[in-house]
């Protein structure tokens, strides 16, 4: 057990500190072997502790619930964009430090690149790593509360609140979000744990480990910008004695170098993020929010999602998106949650007058770490973003910690109450009798069990909003197609289904961007080639022949002609060419010998060699240029073009003619502008 040691000095008032006994000289620490042996002994000792065993049961239940959700989930939306971007890039600083929709996360980008290189689209590699990090975060939370309050059965209450928190489930089930949130949760807890040890012992190693934890968090989440501030406020409120102002002064006086380093890290990270933001496209991420959208977002986030979710809700997920359910609780659920919140806060204040510090810490975290950054990043559109529980997932951790801080007494407080020189009045009421303690324990146990039941039910209903089976089936079909690719032909892009990547992502939702990581030769998909046959992926993920849609510009011979006429091998038609990677020109032709061909759209020229096809053949060329005319230049004589089309391709399951030969009013030579 820690010992209470009054620390005095000629220029400072006496203060109570909680320190471990220092057995080694200040300039020498135990070696790695000694630390490992001590850790193993401590692990064996704690494994026999009934409190730890009960916490282990809670941990296993929580992990089982998370596995249940992960089994129903799969890659979706930004996950595919991550793989596509990693495949198209090299592992350079430009890639690692680039922004993704306003997120600065070089650590996450490295993990994405690593998985793209070795395990592309392997769900359980992605989900398994996040699950391991989540388990480590849960163990770190238990260790932090054990460090703060000592061994006691009451630790199971906040541990259960965090372990089963429904607010942490959606962010874990979406890999792109988990890459930010789960490592950040672990960073918060490790930084808090090592800050406690540093303040208590003054051991500089804990200061360095705290710094490493903060850097780790900054490598995964922009929210880590506020982590040094959280550490300082937490330490001043609960570790240093006296009022908040006196505690802040003592913190600076006692550990000036440590807190100065924390402030420098905040400033440096802010500068790095602003530089990266200015270097981006500016179309995504931070921006000036719109007032109406910002108000709606904050109302949903702080008035509905967090109050209900922190208490085990929302029980049902009314708004369903491709990435899972959002929170839209009914009015009576919100009112009930408000009543429970009032009861929790008031009872804590009645038991401990200083409990207000814990709730002030939680409120400040919600406003400054969750609400304001989300408004800046998502406040330019609709306020519906506030219904997404992923934006307050980390607040579930802070709530569980503040719940413990509001009702339990940290070791520093107990020490100050027992040392007369501390000069601090007791902050709690007289110790309750045995019956009162038993009644409180029973009430806490019942309420925790009710919370656990509600949280597990919310987790179960959330899993029902996921369409992992559909997405997994799509990717399984893609893998099957990739395993038996035709040797000849071009693989042309088209959008993946909406439930895979949303339409507003533009060209990043094309198969040429999303699917190359799975291909043996991804370049054939990323950069489509010319070929005698055209293939596209259908909406089920199967590679099938492609055909032009009725929206393509199609040119056919006149009623009395077999071939499209040319003037000395040249022909040109007016055609609305929108351009882009999906645009393809297709020629149906006959030729007794190989023939040179030049295709021109919008001033750009594409050369091709049409192989001999005396019985008829097709040739497909990617034409990304934009323009208002399609021009062809061929060798005069020997080539008969029976149809030409310019536009996008769609799946043709029957594998028929790739150019639509019958329309309500097919454009003929003269009707389409004739030949020039």
């Amino acid at each position: 057990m820690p010992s209470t040691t009054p620390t005095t000095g000629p220029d400072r008032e006496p203060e109570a500190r909680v320190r471990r006994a220092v057995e080694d000289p200040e300039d020498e620490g135990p070696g790695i072997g000694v630390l490992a042996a001590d850790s193993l002994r401590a692990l064996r000792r704690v494994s026999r502790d009934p409190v730890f065993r009960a916490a282990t049961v809670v941990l296993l239940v929580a992990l089982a619930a998370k596995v249940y959700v992960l089994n129903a989930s799969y890659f979706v939306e930004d996950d595919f964009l991550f793989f596509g971007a990693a495949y198209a890039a090299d592992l350079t600083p430009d890639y690692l430090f680039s922004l993704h929709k306003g997120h600065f996360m070089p650590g996450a980008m490295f993990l994405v690149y690593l998985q793209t290189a070795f395990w592309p689209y392997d769900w359980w590699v992605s989900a398994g790593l996040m699950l391991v990090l989540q388990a480590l975060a849960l163990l770190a939370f238990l260790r932090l509360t054990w460090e703060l309050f000592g061994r006691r059965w009451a630790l199971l209450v906040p541990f259960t609140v965090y372990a089963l928190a429904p607010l942490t489930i959606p962010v874990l089930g979406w890999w792109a979000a988990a890459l930010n949130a789960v490592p950040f949760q672990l960073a918060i807890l490790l930084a808090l744990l090592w800050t406690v040890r540093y303040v208590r012992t003054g051991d500089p190693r804990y200061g360095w480990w705290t710094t490493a934890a903060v850097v780790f968090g900054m490598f995964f989440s922009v929210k880590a910008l506020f982590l040094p501030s959280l550490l300082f406020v937490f330490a001043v409120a609960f570790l240093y004695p006296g009022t908040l102002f006196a505690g802040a002064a003592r913190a600076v006086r006692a550990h000036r170098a440590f807190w100065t380093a924390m402030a420098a890290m905040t400033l440096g990270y802010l500068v790095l993020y602003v530089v990266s933001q200015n270097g981006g496209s500016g179309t995504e991420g931070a921006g000036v929010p719109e007032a109406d959208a910002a108000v709606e977002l904050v109302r949903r986030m702080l008035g509905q999602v967090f109050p209900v979710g922190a208490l085990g809700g929302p029980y049902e997920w009314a708004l369903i998106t491709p990435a899972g359910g959002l929170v839209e609780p009914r009015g009576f659920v919100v009112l009930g949650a408000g009543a429970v919140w009032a009861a929790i806060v008031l009872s804590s204040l009645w038991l401990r007058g200083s409990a207000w510090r814990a709730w002030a810490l939680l409120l400040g975290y919600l406003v400054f770490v969750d609400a304001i950054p989300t408004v800046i990043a998502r406040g330019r559109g609709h306020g519906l973003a506030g219904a997404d529980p992923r934006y307050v997932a980390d607040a579930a951790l802070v709530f569980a910690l503040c719940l413990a801080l509001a009702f339990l007494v940290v070791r520093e407080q107990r020490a100050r109450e027992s040392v007369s020189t501390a000069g601090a009045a007791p902050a709690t009421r007289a110790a309750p009798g045995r019956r009162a303690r038993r009644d409180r324990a029973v009430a806490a146990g019942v309420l925790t069990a009710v919370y656990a039941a509600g949280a597990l039910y919310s987790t179960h209903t959330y899993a029902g909003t996921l369409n992992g089976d559909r997405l997994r089936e799509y990717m399984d079909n893609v893998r099957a197609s990739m395993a038996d690719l035709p040797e000849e032909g071009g693989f042309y892009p088209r959008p993946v289904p909406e439930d895979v990547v949303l339409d507003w992502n533009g060209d990043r939702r094309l198969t040429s961007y999303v699917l190359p990581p799975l291909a043996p030769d991804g370049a054939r998909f990323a950069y489509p080639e010319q070929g005698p046959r055209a293939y596209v992926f259908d909406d089920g993920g199967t590679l099938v022949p492609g055909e032009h849609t009725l929206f393509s510009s199609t040119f056919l011979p006149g009623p009395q002609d077999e071939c499209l006429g040319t003037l000395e091998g040249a022909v040109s038609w007016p055609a609305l060419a929108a351009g882009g990677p999906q645009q393809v020109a297709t020629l149906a032709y006959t030729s007794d010998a190989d023939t040179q061909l030049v295709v021109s759209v919008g001033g750009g020229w594409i050369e091709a060699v049409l192989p001999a096809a005396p019985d008829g053949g097709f040739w497909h060329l990617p034409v990304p240029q934009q323009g208002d005319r399609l021009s062809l230049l061929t060798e005069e004589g020997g080539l008969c073009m029976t149809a030409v089309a310019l536009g996008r391709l769609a799946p043709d399951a029957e594998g028929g003619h790739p150019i639509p030969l019958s329309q309500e009013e097919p454009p003929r030579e003269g009707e389409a502008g004739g030949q020039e």
Side-chain angles (χ1 to χ4, degrees):
M1 292 294 292
S3 60
T4 304
T5 305
T7 302
T8 60
D11 300 324
R12 65 178 68 179
E13 59 184 342
E15 61 182 61
R17 302 287 299 277
V18 177
R19 290 181 176 269
R20 290 184 175 85
V22 179
E23 300 177 356
D24 301 287
E26 287 190 10
D27 57 342
E28 296 182 9
I32 297 178
V34 176
L35 288 175
D38 290 345
S39 298
L40 289 175
R41 284 194 295 270
L43 183 61
R44 285 196 297 267
R45 183 171 60 253
V46 76
S47 64
R48 295 190 292 268
D49 188 281
V51 176
F52 180 79
R53 290 182 175 179
T56 301
V57 173
V58 176
L59 174 65
L60 293 177
V61 172
L63 293 179
K66 297 177 194 305
V67 170
Y68 174 74
V69 171
L70 291 174
N71 193 53
S73 186
Y74 197 69
F75 298 114
V76 66
E77 186 63 16
D78 290 45
D79 300 343
F80 292 95
L81 305 185
F82 276 141
F83 281 113
Y87 180 84
D90 294 323
L91 188 60
T92 63
D94 287 341
Y95 166 76
L96 292 175
F97 292 93
S98 62
L99 296 186
H100 176 80
K101 298 184 178 180
H103 293 286
F104 179 75
M105 46 183 186
M109 300 296 281
F110 175 76
L111 292 180
V112 171
Y113 193 93
L114 187 67
Q115 181 160 351
T116 304
F118 295 101
W119 309 281
Y121 292 112
D122 191 323
W123 172 243
W124 282 109
V125 170
S126 302
L129 177 59
M130 293 299 105
L131 186 66
V132 169
L133 292 179
Q134 186 71 80
L136 292 176
L138 292 174
L139 292 174
F141 182 89
L142 180 63
R143 189 66 189 91
L144 172 63
T145 53
W146 200 303
E147 186 87 10
L148 283 171
F149 309 107
R151 176 204 176 278
R152 52 176 62 191
W153 285 98
L155 299 183
L156 295 177
V157 176
F159 181 71
T160 302
V161 169
Y162 175 45
L164 302 181
L167 289 177
T168 64
I169 295 299
V171 79
L172 178 65
W174 186 7
W175 186 53
L179 282 169
N180 294 137
V182 177
F184 179 52
Q185 293 176 42
L186 179 60
I188 292 175
L189 291 165
L190 292 178
L192 286 170
L193 173 62
W194 289 327
T195 296
V196 172
R197 291 180 175 177
Y198 176 72
V199 172
R200 285 177 172 175
T201 67
D203 190 332
R205 288 174 301 176
Y206 293 127
W208 285 109
W209 291 353
T210 302
T211 302
V214 173
V215 172
F216 175 76
M218 289 178 171
F219 267 68
F220 287 90
S221 176
V222 176
K223 288 184 177 182
L225 170 69
F226 303 95
L227 185 49
S229 300
L230 173 65
L231 299 178
F232 183 75
V233 173
F234 167 80
V236 168
F238 301 103
L239 301 180
Y240 293 100
T243 64
L244 294 181
F245 292 106
R250 285 188 173 91
V252 174
R253 186 168 59 242
H255 306 112
R256 185 185 305 275
F258 176 77
W259 296 118
T260 300
M262 291 292 111
M265 292 173 64
T266 301
L267 181 60
Y269 185 80
L270 179 61
V271 171
L272 183 60
Y273 177 75
V274 170
V275 170
S276 300
Q277 178 74 24
N278 292 338
S281 64
T283 59
E284 297 175 328
V288 178
E290 299 173 2
D292 293 343
V295 171
E296 176 69 9
L297 188 152
V298 173
R299 182 188 69 82
R300 288 178 178 272
M301 177 186 291
L302 302 187
Q304 296 179 347
V305 176
F306 178 76
V308 173
L311 299 179
Y315 315 114
E316 60 180 4
W317 307 79
L319 303 174
I320 309 301
T321 71
L326 303 182
V327 179
E328 181 78 359
R330 301 182 183 183
F332 71 89
V333 175
V334 177
L335 291 176
V340 174
W341 270 96
I344 292 174
V345 174
L346 292 177
S347 61
S348 67
L349 293 174
W350 182 78
L351 291 172
R352 298 187 62 240
S354 61
W356 69 269
R357 294 188 177 190
W359 304 123
L361 176 63
L362 175 61
L363 180 60
Y365 188 92
L366 285 168
V367 171
F368 292 102
V369 182
D370 284 342
I372 292 179
T374 304
V375 166
I376 295 174
R378 301 289 181 261
R380 288 179 288 176
H382 195 277
L384 186 62
D388 194 333
R390 299 173 183 88
Y391 294 122
V392 290
D394 46 295
L397 179 163
V398 179
F399 165 64
L401 178 61
C402 290
L403 184 67
L405 292 169
F407 284 92
L408 303 178
V409 183
V410 298
R411 287 170 167 173
E412 280 78 3
Q413 184 64 40
R414 290 206 304 270
R416 288 195 289 270
E417 291 173 0
S418 63
V419 178
S420 59
T421 57
T428 57
R429 296 175 177 272
R434 178 178 300 178
R435 182 174 180 180
R437 291 197 301 270
R438 183 187 61 191
D439 292 344
R440 292 180 185 178
V442 171
V446 171
L447 292 175
T448 303
V450 171
Y451 168 86
L456 291 173
Y457 180 75
S458 295
T459 300
H460 168 71
T461 55
Y462 178 76
T465 70
L466 300 172
N467 59 347
D469 291 341
R470 156 79 180 94
L471 298 170
R472 193 174 285 107
E473 179 184 4
Y474 177 85
M475 293 304 292
D476 287 344
N477 291 337
V478 170
R479 284 189 175 89
S481 296
M482 294 289 192
D484 188 22
L485 293 176
E487 295 183 2
E488 291 185 331
F491 306 124
Y492 298 106
R494 64 182 300 266
V496 297
E498 278 276 335
D499 57 350
V500 177
V501 179
L502 293 175
D503 182 65
W504 69 275
N505 287 286
D507 290 344
R508 290 181 298 178
R509 68 176 295 229
L510 298 179
T511 54
S512 58
Y513 186 86
V514 170
L515 301 182
L518 283 177
D521 182 5
R524 294 183 67 189
F525 289 88
Y527 309 102
E529 303 170 340
Q530 303 177 19
R533 282 174 287 277
Y535 299 95
V536 296
F537 282 97
D538 64 15
D539 289 341
T542 301
L543 193 66
V544 298
E547 66 174 351
H548 280 271
T549 68
L550 295 178
F551 296 100
S552 297
S553 297
T554 305
F555 307 96
L556 305 173
Q560 307 301 322
D561 301 322
E562 294 183 1
C563 305
L564 286 163
T566 66
L567 181 60
E568 297 181 352
V571 63
S572 180
W573 302 281
L576 182 60
Q582 297 184 67
Q583 188 166 269
V584 177
T586 298
L587 285 80
Y589 70 97
T590 60
S591 176
D592 293 330
D594 294 353
T595 306
Q596 297 285 337
L597 173 72
V598 176
V599 179
S600 175
V601 174
W605 298 88
I606 301 174
E607 297 182 355
V609 177
L610 306 183
D615 297 325
F618 302 97
W619 197 255
H620 308 272
L621 307 90
V623 183
Q625 290 84 5
Q626 182 180 7
D628 56 7
R629 297 195 71 83
L630 169 63
S631 301
L632 304 178
L633 178 63
T634 69
E635 297 177 3
E636 189 174 1
L639 176 66
C640 173
M641 294 183 292
T642 57
V644 175
L646 178 68
R648 298 179 177 182
L649 301 182
D652 178 17
E654 298 179 358
H657 201 286
I659 300 177
L661 300 179
S662 61
Q663 304 182 48
E664 292 183 3
E665 295 183 0
R668 302 289 178 173
E669 283 189 46
E671 296 173 1
Q675 60 188 33
E676 297 182 1

